[in-house]
Amino acid sequence: MKKNIYRSVLLFLSFIAFSSFTILKDNFAIEADITGLSDGSKVILYETDTQKLVDSATVKNNKFVLNGFSNSEPKSYVLQVMNDKINQFTFLYFSNEEIKISGDVSDLPNNLTIEGSEHNSVKSKLDKLTQPYKTQKFDAEQEMRKIYEEGKWNDSIKNIYLGPDGILEQITKEERAVEKEFIKENSNTYYALYLLYLYKAHSYTDFELKEVYNSLSLKMKKNKYAKAIKVQLNTVKPASGDKFTNFKALNRDGKLEKFSKYFDGKYVLLDFSSPTCSNSRNALPMLNDFYTNKTDKIKIVTYYTGNNKEHFEIFSNKEERPWDFIWNTDGEFNEAYLKYYVAGTPTYYLFDPNGVLLDTWMGYTEETQNRIEQIIK
């Protein structure tokens, strides 16, 4: 009898220990002590990629605590602190870890002490390497502001600072070179792989990308970022004169359909957009104008790049935006996003009625509509 009771107690304690381990395994905890923060200041934590709110807290006695679900593979997060005098944020990169943040409010956004995360420690190393370039950029921007306020700004000075070989471009190139070397030397860390994925389309040649990909361990090659990179390495980037690359996506009714179905004798504008992107939102009147006034010439197909069904349904509201909307539950890891080398939103691909690519560009300005109209007239 005593043995049975003893065994039951052991099993119960083992269950408690296992349950506690499981809870810790699938969650993270952040404890912060930042002097200078006013009581009542609001703190929010959200995912960088999806903008999804993870947790929020209120500061009391300089302290706050945040918790949330996580797993062994880390993510990028934004930690934002707000009150009537301050609206600052900093980026964090962590998984199911217990993190402690300390410092002063003056250390925001980049000089806080962050401990407890092996993943964020990798990020911190790169931050220290690139901080001099960020300081140079800030100083250059302050110089430009001063020149502008003094009324001395002209095209010549603009070119010195903002031209293709201008001061800001040179600083950016030097910073990017440091980042690429860091990624190469730390390729088998999650943070370096995350950056490689972010930079793959606009900072790497196919040869450079393949070189870093081949250096990855078998474990890292199973990561979603590595798999996405592999898709691009096996896909030729679309260029003017190429036939469209087909893919499948979900329409408003949740039915899977091929991109090829949209070619019915009209030009086709494939628009990769996100409702969280200000330029994507700014472009909506242009797309509506095309649908309303040039529907006989051009078909608009907006590809929502996120993976949130509710966001898609709001973004694709047929009464406000009656043109075609499609998406995929894989978000930015979907087939189309990768095969069309989308690096940001909005990204446009304009095809002729036969499906031949005429032009492609990223971003939206007041000239975008004229650019399209000149081609389809």
Side-chain angles (χ1 to χ4, degrees):
M1 182 72 177
K2 287 183 178 180
K3 286 185 178 180
N4 289 336
I5 293 174
Y6 180 68
R7 184 178 298 170
S8 298
V9 171
L10 282 178
L11 287 172
F12 177 74
L13 291 174
S14 298
F15 173 76
I16 294 297
F18 177 78
S19 299
S20 299
F21 173 76
T22 302
I23 292 171
L24 178 62
K25 177 182 176 182
D26 294 330
N27 288 268
F28 67 84
I30 297 175
E31 294 183 8
D33 187 346
I34 304 174
T35 57
L37 285 180
S38 304
D39 283 359
S41 295
K42 185 76 171 178
V43 181
I44 60 173
L45 182 75
Y46 55 92
E47 295 181 3
T48 304
D49 297 336
T50 64
Q51 305 290 298
K52 178 183 177 181
L53 177 66
V54 178
D55 198 11
S56 62
T58 302
V59 175
K60 185 175 182 180
N61 297 327
N62 300 317
K63 297 179 175 63
F64 61 85
V65 175
L66 297 166
N67 295 279
F69 172 81
S70 185
N71 55 41
S72 59
E73 289 200 2
K75 292 181 180 179
S76 176
Y77 297 88
V78 178
L79 178 68
Q80 188 169 7
V81 182
M82 298 171 289
N83 59 34
D84 58 345
K85 296 180 180 179
I86 183 175
N87 187 349
Q88 288 274 23
F89 64 87
T90 189
F91 289 95
L92 303 172
Y93 194 77
F94 59 85
S95 61
N96 52 343
E97 299 166 298
E98 295 185 0
I99 301 162
K100 294 188 181 299
I101 301 175
S102 60
D104 184 78
V105 67
S106 61
D107 294 324
L108 285 163
N110 299 317
N111 295 316
L112 293 169
T113 299
I114 302 168
E115 301 173 309
S117 171
E118 63 172 301
H119 304 294
N120 201 79
S121 67
V122 179
K123 176 184 176 297
S124 295
K125 290 178 183 177
L126 179 58
D127 288 344
K128 288 180 180 178
L129 292 173
T130 57
Q131 185 57 48
Y133 302 100
K134 290 178 172 57
T135 300
Q136 290 177 40
K137 284 182 183 179
F138 177 79
D139 291 343
E141 288 165 357
Q142 292 300 104
E143 289 173 5
M144 285 191 294
R145 178 177 295 181
K146 183 178 179 180
I147 294 171
Y148 183 82
E149 290 174 350
E150 292 175 349
K152 299 177 181 179
W153 188 259
N154 56 47
D155 289 341
S156 177
I157 293 176
K158 178 181 178 181
N159 191 58
I160 290 173
Y161 282 94
L162 301 174
D165 297 313
I167 293 172
L168 286 177
E169 181 62 24
Q170 288 303 316
I171 296 172
T172 299
K173 285 181 179 178
E174 292 173 12
E175 180 181 13
R176 192 51 50 85
V178 170
E179 290 171 334
K180 289 174 72 172
E181 185 62 27
F182 179 87
I183 290 171
K184 185 176 181 180
E185 293 177 354
N186 297 272
S187 59
N188 280 296
T189 64
Y190 284 105
Y191 186 63
L193 181 58
Y194 171 68
L195 293 181
L196 181 67
Y197 171 76
L198 291 182
Y199 298 161
K200 65 186 184 306
H202 54 77
S203 295
Y204 283 83
T205 64
D206 286 346
F207 175 81
E208 290 174 328
L209 193 61
K210 187 174 183 179
E211 184 180 31
V212 181
Y213 174 83
N214 288 339
S215 72
L216 298 177
S217 66
L218 291 176
K219 176 185 176 181
M220 295 304 285
K221 284 182 178 178
K222 294 178 182 179
N223 180 273
K224 63 181 180 180
Y225 295 115
K227 289 180 179 178
I229 290 168
K230 186 177 180 181
V231 170
Q232 286 205 333
L233 287 172
N234 293 329
T235 305
V236 177
K237 185 176 182 180
S240 295
D242 291 344
K243 192 79 172 179
F244 71 89
T245 299
N246 212 1
F247 59 84
K248 294 180 180 179
L250 299 169
N251 63 18
R252 278 190 180 92
D253 299 323
K255 295 180 180 179
L256 197 64
E257 57 189 21
K258 293 182 178 179
F259 178 50
S260 55
K261 70 157 282 186
Y262 293 103
F263 291 92
D264 58 0
K266 303 176 186 177
Y267 291 89
V268 173
L269 181 68
L270 178 59
D271 156 46
F272 290 94
S273 285
S274 167
T276 60
C277 169
S278 59
N279 278 332
S280 292
R281 295 194 300 271
N282 292 339
L284 291 175
M286 174 192 75
L287 300 178
N288 188 62
D289 182 61
F290 284 145
Y291 177 84
T292 303
N293 300 312
K294 293 183 171 58
T295 189
D296 59 325
K297 288 188 175 182
I298 187 169
K299 184 178 287 290
I300 308 299
V301 182
T302 292
Y303 199 121
Y304 162 62
T305 59
N307 62 352
N308 186 309
K309 184 178 181 181
E310 183 180 355
H311 286 179
F312 172 74
E313 290 174 348
I314 295 172
F315 191 39
S316 63
N317 185 310
K318 198 166 186 176
E319 292 184 3
E320 297 179 17
R321 304 169 193 110
W323 60 91
D324 291 290
F325 274 76
I326 55 178
W327 75 303
N328 186 291
T329 55
D330 292 329
E332 66 180 44
F333 296 95
N334 70 70
E335 179 187 12
Y337 193 96
L338 296 170
K339 288 185 175 181
Y340 280 88
Y341 281 67
V342 179
T345 55
T347 292
Y348 300 103
Y349 282 86
L350 180 61
F351 300 90
D352 75 7
N354 296 313
V356 176
L357 181 60
L358 299 175
D359 203 357
T360 178
W361 61 98
M362 185 174 76
Y364 170 81
T365 69
E366 293 179 357
E367 293 300 316
T368 301
Q369 185 163 351
N370 290 334
R371 182 173 179 174
I372 297 172
E373 289 177 343
Q374 286 300 311
I375 296 174
I376 68 174
K377 65 180 180 181

